[in-house]
Amino acid sequence: MNNNHQEHPFKDSILFSILFLFFSMCVLSNAHAEKFDQRYVKWKEQQQAHDEQLKRQDPNHYLGKPTVTNTQASKQTASSSAALSGAKVNINTANVQQLQQLNGVGEKKAQAILDYRQQNGKFKNIDDLQNVKGIGPKMVEKNRAMIVL
């Protein structure tokens, strides 16, 4: 029985130490979280003040709310109306804007078509368009009715 009695004080001190460490960590983590929250609130206030300053300098300058410019809207309208009206695009003479009327062709692919045409000459058939980087058979088939040579 004496052996048993000697183990209990040791277990109690370990348990006390564990509980002490646990509560200490809780208090420290709460203090850390409060400091973080305070730093975040201060940062947020600084960002809002900076945004207000930018707004006062230029009312159109606000990164959080992008707007569609007239050129983008007119390009989209022209592209959709060309597709609906059956306008043809001559891939041997078209410029960047005209090539962008094709489905799936943006500024980069249109420029790639021009670059390919400049290096290799005119396209001999519509399927040659697949030789341009980024253009595959599906895109050619999707646009075949709009493409002329």
Side-chain angles (χ1 to χ4, degrees):
M1 267 204 159
N2 279 344
N3 267 349
N4 232 1
H5 189 319
Q6 289 175 345
E7 284 183 29
H8 286 287
F10 183 66
K11 286 182 181 179
D12 289 342
S13 66
I14 290 176
L15 183 61
F16 177 75
S17 298
I18 291 171
L19 288 174
F20 178 76
L21 287 172
F22 175 75
F23 287 120
S24 299
M25 288 172 41
C26 288
V27 169
L28 289 175
S29 67
N30 282 343
H32 177 70
E34 286 175 20
K35 284 182 183 178
F36 176 82
D37 289 345
Q38 290 168 354
R39 283 183 279 165
Y40 173 77
V41 168
K42 184 178 177 181
W43 173 84
K44 184 71 173 176
E45 288 171 356
Q46 290 172 341
Q47 291 299 312
Q48 288 172 338
H50 185 68
D51 287 347
E52 286 301 317
Q53 183 181 15
L54 289 173
K55 265 188 187 176
R56 275 184 258 130
Q57 290 173 358
D58 180 9
N60 294 325
H61 180 75
Y62 191 70
L63 297 176
K65 296 179 182 176
T67 57
V68 176
T69 62
N70 287 340
T71 56
Q72 289 175 332
S74 64
K75 178 182 144 189
Q76 290 172 346
T77 305
S79 175
S80 60
S81 66
L84 291 175
S85 69
K88 305 284 185 180
V89 177
N90 186 325
I91 58 174
N92 284 324
T93 60
N95 61 25
V96 171
Q97 289 79 19
Q98 293 166 332
L99 288 168
Q100 288 179 7
Q101 292 177 2
L102 297 171
N103 293 320
V105 177
E107 189 175 347
K108 287 184 178 180
K109 284 187 185 171
Q111 188 59 52
I113 293 170
L114 289 180
D115 293 342
Y116 180 88
R117 192 171 70 200
Q118 188 175 23
Q119 291 174 358
N120 299 294
K122 292 185 174 189
F123 292 96
K124 291 173 183 48
N125 61 56
I126 294 174
D127 291 323
D128 285 347
L129 197 55
Q130 294 178 42
N131 297 329
V132 177
K133 183 177 179 184
I135 297 181
K138 288 183 181 180
M139 185 179 292
V140 171
E141 287 307 314
K142 192 177 1 173
N143 290 294
R144 189 173 292 278
M146 290 180 62
I147 299 172
V148 294
L149 298 176

